[in-house]
Amino acid sequence: MSDSDLINLYSGRILELAADIPRTGRLNAPQATVKKRSPLCGSTVTVDLCTEDGRVTDYAQDVKACALGQASSAIVGANIVGCTRAQVETARDQLRAMLKSGGPVPDAPFDGLEVLLPARDFRNRHASILLAIEAASEAFAEAEKSACA
């Protein structure tokens, strides 16, 4: 990786997001908790989530990831409350496609993930970037199951 590649990858905006992750910590009584780990780099994200009437009502995350994983977590944390399961799953699928197959930037409210476009060429970073949205998607599904139980 050249110096210019690193500068593009770790832009000022990514570093700003990584330094100011919203909704960090844990919820006292989440409906669901999911922990995801990237086997390649060891990054982890633990998500606590509550839903009501098919929308996220509360969200917290414990993020131990590289700057790219932190930036992704910051965008997810800033935008997930109020979202439906379909919106979260669509964002997950769109982010995966953006990184892995040249797909478009995720729809609003997760369009801020566009900042991670330079990571497209760095496959070893994709898993860390996907942790928060994948954990949130799984937690949403678990929360809905527990609500029906």
Side-chain angles (χ1 to χ4, degrees), residues 77-97:
N79 294 289
I80 196 164
V81 172
C83 287
T84 65
R85 182 174 174 186
Q87 286 175 299
V88 174
E89 290 176 347
T90 296
R92 176 202 60 206
D93 296 345
Q94 289 175 327
L95 178 58
R96 189 178 295 134

Side-chain angles (χ1 to χ4, degrees), residues 1 5-6 9 68 118-126 129:
M1 187 181 301
D5 289 339
L6 282 174
L9 186 58
L68 298 170
R120 205 180 248 172
D121 296 330
F122 302 94
R123 294 195 178 281
N124 59 336
R125 302 290 198 248
H126 294 180
I129 293 168

Side-chain angles (χ1 to χ4, degrees), residues 3-119:
D3 287 347
S4 64
D5 289 339
L6 282 174
I7 290 167
N8 288 336
L9 186 58
Y10 293 100
S11 69
R13 181 68 183 131
I14 284 177
L15 297 176
E16 286 172 15
L17 287 163
D20 191 24
I21 303 170
R23 299 188 163 274
T24 57
R26 303 296 304 273
L27 297 180
N28 289 329
Q31 288 174 298
T33 298
V34 171
K35 181 176 183 176
K36 300 288 284 181
R37 180 180 177 276
S38 169
L40 205 57
C41 67
S43 292
T44 63
V45 173
T46 303
V47 164
D48 292 335
L49 185 130
C50 293
T51 65
E52 187 174 318
D53 297 327
R55 295 193 178 272
V56 176
T57 57
D58 206 359
Y59 178 88
Q61 54 190 352
D62 181 27
V63 181
K64 292 177 178 49
C66 66
L68 298 170
Q70 291 174 20
S72 177
S73 296
I75 295 163
V76 171
N79 294 289
I80 196 164
V81 172
C83 287
T84 65
R85 182 174 174 186
Q87 286 175 299
V88 174
E89 290 176 347
T90 296
R92 176 202 60 206
D93 296 345
Q94 289 175 327
L95 178 58
R96 189 178 295 134
M98 180 186 90
L99 293 171
K100 296 181 182 295
S101 60
V105 171
D107 296 337
F110 298 102
D111 50 339
L113 291 164
E114 177 179 19
V115 73
L116 295 160
L117 272 171

